[in-house]
Amino acid sequence: MGYNSLLRKIILIIGDIICLYLATSIAMVLELGNKQTDKIAFHLEFLPILVIMMFFMFNVYGLFSLIRKKLVDIFLNLLVAVTNIYIIAMAMTFFFRQFDYSRVVLVYSAVFSFVLLAIWQYICHQWEWKHFPKQTAVLFAAGEEAARIQNKLLKTYGMEQSLQSVCDSCQQANWKQLIDANYYVFIGAELPIADKEKILRYARSTKKQIFFVPTLYELACKNTGFLLVDDIPMQRVTRMCSKVVILII
């Protein structure tokens, strides 16, 4: 079975709704039993509101796009989203039938929702990871810079096995073939400008995804303000985020 983004989202959303319904049903059975049919019906009427809040919170915390996230990030975001859903739900129930909505049912629902949704999203994440098309990459860099970028890519989630080739310059006869064979093109900071331009032109013509590793000078040029000192035009370097610079360099 191939990877279909729309079908995946539909299945994920349907599963999320079913998990929410099951969690509420289990909570009602534990707290209300099977005989209080009028209260059970009243609690079920509140379920569409929970579903709407789930859509909003899951969209905020990116729980409809699992493939780009680590499992630990999914579970943490899910915990925060479920907590927010039921805190808002508990606040809203103060306006329903003079507090007739059971707070215990909400607490049970929150616990079971987290457990069921965590299991469901784990299954979906593993399925996506198995069927998501893996794109390969080529790195244009040399020496210590190539080794440093390779090491960083190996530690980047989703890119651990993407890097297939390393090319130190455009002097290699097969540099165009390497671009043709891969989707991602990484260009090191220390590569000569002439080589960068050749790689950029060819990679753009073949519609590849291109990533530059900028030098500190290039970053500074992107953060400048124009001013005149007497009749001399100058560009003043504005304050840069040191954290971003450290991560890139």
Side-chain angles (χ1 to χ4, degrees):
M1 185 177 180
Y3 183 87
N4 186 303
S5 179
L6 178 60
L7 177 63
R8 173 200 63 77
K9 277 199 172 182
I10 293 172
I11 293 173
L12 179 62
I13 291 170
I14 291 173
D16 290 338
I17 294 172
I18 292 173
C19 288
L20 205 63
Y21 175 80
L22 287 175
T24 304
S25 300
I26 295 170
M28 287 189 299
V29 170
L30 290 176
E31 176 62 16
L32 304 176
N34 297 319
K35 296 180 180 179
Q36 303 183 51
T37 54
D38 57 332
K39 285 192 175 182
I40 291 175
F42 169 62
H43 282 67
L44 286 176
E45 289 174 4
F46 192 67
L47 191 58
I49 299 176
L50 289 177
V51 172
I52 293 171
M53 287 189 289
M54 181 197 73
F55 271 98
F56 177 75
M57 288 296 173
F58 279 25
N59 187 56
V60 169
Y61 290 101
L63 291 171
F64 292 134
S65 301
L66 305 179
I67 189 62
R68 302 297 182 188
K69 292 179 177 287
K70 296 181 182 179
L71 278 173
V72 64
D73 294 331
I74 292 173
F75 293 149
L76 286 174
N77 289 338
L78 181 62
L79 178 61
V80 175
V82 170
T83 302
N84 288 339
I85 288 169
Y86 284 95
I87 287 175
I88 296 171
M90 193 169 292
M92 292 181 65
T93 56
F94 286 106
F95 301 99
F96 286 84
R97 277 193 180 178
Q98 299 179 346
F99 310 105
D100 198 27
Y101 198 102
S102 172
R103 305 300 182 275
V104 179
V105 169
L106 279 176
V107 173
Y108 284 161
S109 297
V111 174
F112 289 120
S113 291
F114 175 74
V115 173
L116 292 174
L117 286 167
I119 294 171
W120 170 243
Q121 299 222 344
Y122 172 80
I123 293 170
C124 290
H125 180 271
Q126 295 302 301
W127 182 88
E128 284 192 47
W129 186 251
K130 181 179 178 182
H131 293 91
F132 189 76
K134 304 296 189 298
Q135 304 287 4
T136 57
V138 57
L139 169 63
F140 287 90
E144 293 182 2
E145 184 188 33
R148 186 173 71 251
I149 296 173
Q150 276 185 283
N151 186 49
K152 296 293 183 183
L153 289 175
L154 289 173
K155 295 178 181 179
T156 302
Y157 179 72
M159 298 292 293
E160 299 92 341
Q161 299 177 347
S162 296
L163 189 60
Q164 300 294 310
S165 311
V166 178
C167 182
D168 57 8
S169 71
C170 291
Q171 303 304 316
Q172 287 188 207
N174 66 334
W175 70 271
K176 288 186 177 181
Q177 286 78 7
L178 291 175
I179 293 177
D180 291 334
N182 298 279
Y183 179 70
Y184 296 116
V185 178
F186 291 91
I187 303 174
E190 298 174 7
L191 211 64
I193 295 295
D195 284 358
K196 287 183 180 180
E197 187 172 349
K198 287 180 183 179
I199 295 165
L200 177 61
R201 286 179 181 276
Y202 188 76
R204 285 192 64 186
S205 69
T206 53
K207 298 181 180 179
K208 304 297 181 179
Q209 182 69 58
I210 307 164
F211 295 91
F212 275 105
V213 179
T215 62
L216 181 58
Y217 174 77
E218 290 168 337
L219 284 174
C221 289
K222 288 182 66 66
N223 293 273
T224 59
F226 182 78
L227 72 156
L228 285 172
V229 178
D230 195 4
D231 60 344
I232 303 173
M234 291 188 178
Q235 285 182 300
R236 181 177 56 129
V237 178
T238 57
R239 185 175 297 176
M240 294 185 296
C241 178
S242 59
K243 184 178 179 181
V244 174
V245 174
I246 291 170
L247 286 173
I248 293 175
I249 295 177

